[in-house]
Amino acid sequence: MNRSFLALASCLSLQVLPAFASDCDDGVAYYKQHNYPAANASFKRCMQTTVRDINLIYYAALAAQQMREFERAKMLYELVVKYEPKSEAAKLSAAAARALSGPAEVATLPRETWVPFTRMGSHILIDAELNGRPVKMIFDTGADFSFFSEQMLETVGMSIPDRPPDGMSGGVGKAGMQPMWKIPTTLKVGRIERKNFRVGATKIPQAVALLGRDFYSGFEYSINDANNTIGFKRIGSGSSTESAGASKTPKQAPLGPEGSTTVSANGTYVYNVPYTGNSSQIIVEAKLNGAPCKMIFDTGAGICFFTSDQAAKVGVFPPANAPVIAVAGVGGGSSAQMGSIGTFRLGTLELKDVPCAIGGKSVAPYPLLGQSFFRDFQYSVDSANKVIHLSKSK
């Protein structure tokens, strides 16, 4: 193999010993087979030499990230950027390193914390503090920002400022896009306290405030219904958010064409679903009665939600005389008809007759994957690798 060699820890050695070269090749082969533990171990032996092919460094970083060794992965990604800044691998590495770093402020936050929750219907309800005053909030992966209504702010002695809005916001609800103000506050959830944190505020009534993805940016999180806790772990911290009763790290199992199914240490299946999107949305690829459909993974949605147009595009329609239900979100209240999806597949996980709401108004670009799909599952979101892990107790 013709390799351009780069110094990793020293510029003194300019050769790769045969045994280590074999480890490098083995690492690549194992990685392509999705055998990440073996790949990571091979790359660690391979990296005992002091010179490397740029592609090997990148593969080593990927393997380390798969094994949740985030500090090592970040260091290797940064080496790729340093040595070949104009390469495609460098572009990918730079993005990966940024994701592992999170916002600069995150480094000062706790490595991990656990937050108890209760259920309000199908919503996940947590206790928080806004400027030192207790508030209830819905843990909402579908919300770009953390939101409070004008009335909620008044209960803690705050108000919407007398100035033009900072932008527009919207979600499910007939009000559509509405003016939004960003207000600096101190918001605390568990041991995570963010100062000068700008929450969104609207004049549209809301039942409960929303804890959006901007608050826990830089953290991985897991939902454990066995003991009603959310575990937050800072990306790259190397610590664990496993709480009592949570599944341990899954061992490798055969991969499917969409994501994979693994088996946890306690014998339960773990469904690993890749996602795309930016820091404000988790977008997954589902199949509804065999039709592909992008959806937003939304813990704040009590039910899977489609506008009439979104449902029609994938051939989902409410039955005749379907009951009408109320739906509400940042965009206010609206109504929709109850429906059901016969076969609902997400990654390797397939469920039958999943309830959904069809109709109403929404400014979201895709339908919402709500609690009616994953309510009975424990799940964690691996922000570094962009994978959702869902498991179900025996």
Side-chain angles (χ1 to χ4, degrees):
M1 181 183 296
N2 182 17
R3 295 178 176 142
S4 59
F5 295 115
L6 300 168
L8 178 63
S10 168
C11 296
L12 298 179
S13 175
L14 296 176
Q15 61 180 350
V16 174
L17 299 179
F20 293 131
S22 176
D23 285 325
C24 296
D25 293 337
D26 287 346
V28 174
Y30 282 131
Y31 187 87
K32 290 181 177 179
Q33 295 167 10
H34 306 286
N35 189 343
Y36 304 124
N40 195 45
S42 294
F43 281 126
K44 285 184 176 179
R45 293 191 297 270
C46 167
M47 293 292 172
Q48 292 179 34
T49 62
T50 55
V51 292
R52 287 296 171 267
D53 181 300
I54 193 68
N55 294 318
L56 292 177
I57 301 175
Y58 183 62
Y59 268 112
L62 292 173
Q65 186 168 344
Q66 289 286 352
M67 295 306 297
R68 307 174 70 83
E69 296 180 5
F70 299 125
E71 294 294 346
R72 171 179 164 80
K74 182 171 179 288
M75 179 271 293
L76 292 169
Y77 284 133
E78 289 172 346
L79 281 174
V80 174
V81 175
K82 175 181 178 181
Y83 290 122
E84 293 285 347
K86 296 182 179 180
S87 67
E88 183 64 25
K91 294 178 184 178
L92 296 172
S93 294
R98 285 194 300 271
L100 290 175
S101 299
E105 171 206 7
V106 172
T108 66
L109 295 175
R111 293 164 65 93
E112 58 187 347
T113 189
W114 290 267
V115 179
F117 69 82
T118 57
R119 291 279 180 179
M120 184 180 71
S122 56
H123 294 303
I124 297 173
L125 196 65
I126 62 172
D127 290 311
E129 292 182 9
L130 182 68
N131 289 348
R133 303 280 292 275
V135 293
K136 297 284 187 181
M137 301 187 76
I138 291 174
F139 181 75
D140 191 349
T141 59
D144 295 3
F145 306 105
S146 298
F147 272 99
F148 291 83
S149 69
E150 184 175 32
Q151 294 90 334
M152 292 173 188
L153 292 179
E154 290 174 352
T155 63
V156 295
M158 299 176 62
S159 62
I160 289 179
D162 184 17
R163 58 173 170 77
D166 297 297
M168 304 291 287
S169 67
V172 173
K174 62 184 178 182
M177 298 297 289
Q178 292 293 309
M180 177 191 68
W181 288 260
K182 297 300 290 289
I183 304 173
T185 66
T186 296
L187 184 60
K188 184 178 181 181
V189 175
R191 295 193 300 118
I192 304 174
E193 183 176 29
R194 307 196 83 147
K195 299 181 178 179
N196 199 30
F197 180 74
R198 290 161 61 84
V199 301
T202 70
K203 295 188 177 182
I204 300 296
Q206 290 174 238
V208 185
L210 305 180
L211 185 73
R213 283 166 55 84
D214 59 336
F215 179 83
Y216 45 90
S217 175
F219 286 85
E220 297 174 15
Y221 49 93
S222 60
I223 311 296
N224 189 347
D225 271 302
N227 56 14
N228 289 340
T229 58
I230 306 174
F232 293 93
K233 182 183 69 174
R234 179 151 48 89
I235 293 174
S237 67
S239 57
S240 172
T241 54
E242 288 183 357
S243 51
S247 297
K248 297 181 180 179
T249 303
K251 59 185 179 182
Q252 196 65 31
L255 295 175
E258 309 155 323
S260 65
T261 303
T262 52
V263 180
S264 71
N266 60 14
T268 60
Y269 287 111
V270 180
Y271 302 94
N272 310 296
V273 181
Y275 71 85
T276 59
N278 52 34
S279 61
S280 63
Q281 287 183 337
I282 298 177
I283 300 172
V284 295
E285 185 78 41
K287 286 189 176 179
L288 313 180
N289 299 327
C293 180
K294 291 185 183 298
M295 301 187 73
I296 297 172
F297 182 78
D298 189 351
T299 58
I303 191 170
C304 295
F305 176 84
F306 300 77
T307 64
S308 296
D309 288 344
Q310 290 169 344
K313 287 179 180 178
V314 291
V316 175
F317 302 95
N321 301 318
V324 176
I325 61 170
V327 292
V330 176
S334 186
S335 61
Q337 290 181 288
M338 280 294 297
S340 178
I341 299 167
T343 301
F344 198 133
R345 187 176 180 86
L346 183 66
T348 55
L349 173 61
E350 184 173 290
L351 301 181
K352 301 291 186 181
D353 301 321
V354 176
C356 66
I358 303 170
K361 301 287 186 180
S362 174
V363 300
Y366 304 112
L368 306 181
L369 181 69
Q371 294 276 350
S372 58
F373 181 85
F374 51 82
R375 169 65 178 87
D376 295 330
F377 290 83
Q378 297 177 26
Y379 50 92
S380 63
V381 177
D382 182 347
S383 306
N385 295 300
K386 290 196 168 184
V387 177
I388 302 169
H389 306 283
L390 299 107
S391 62
K392 192 171 184 179
S393 300
K394 291 182 178 180

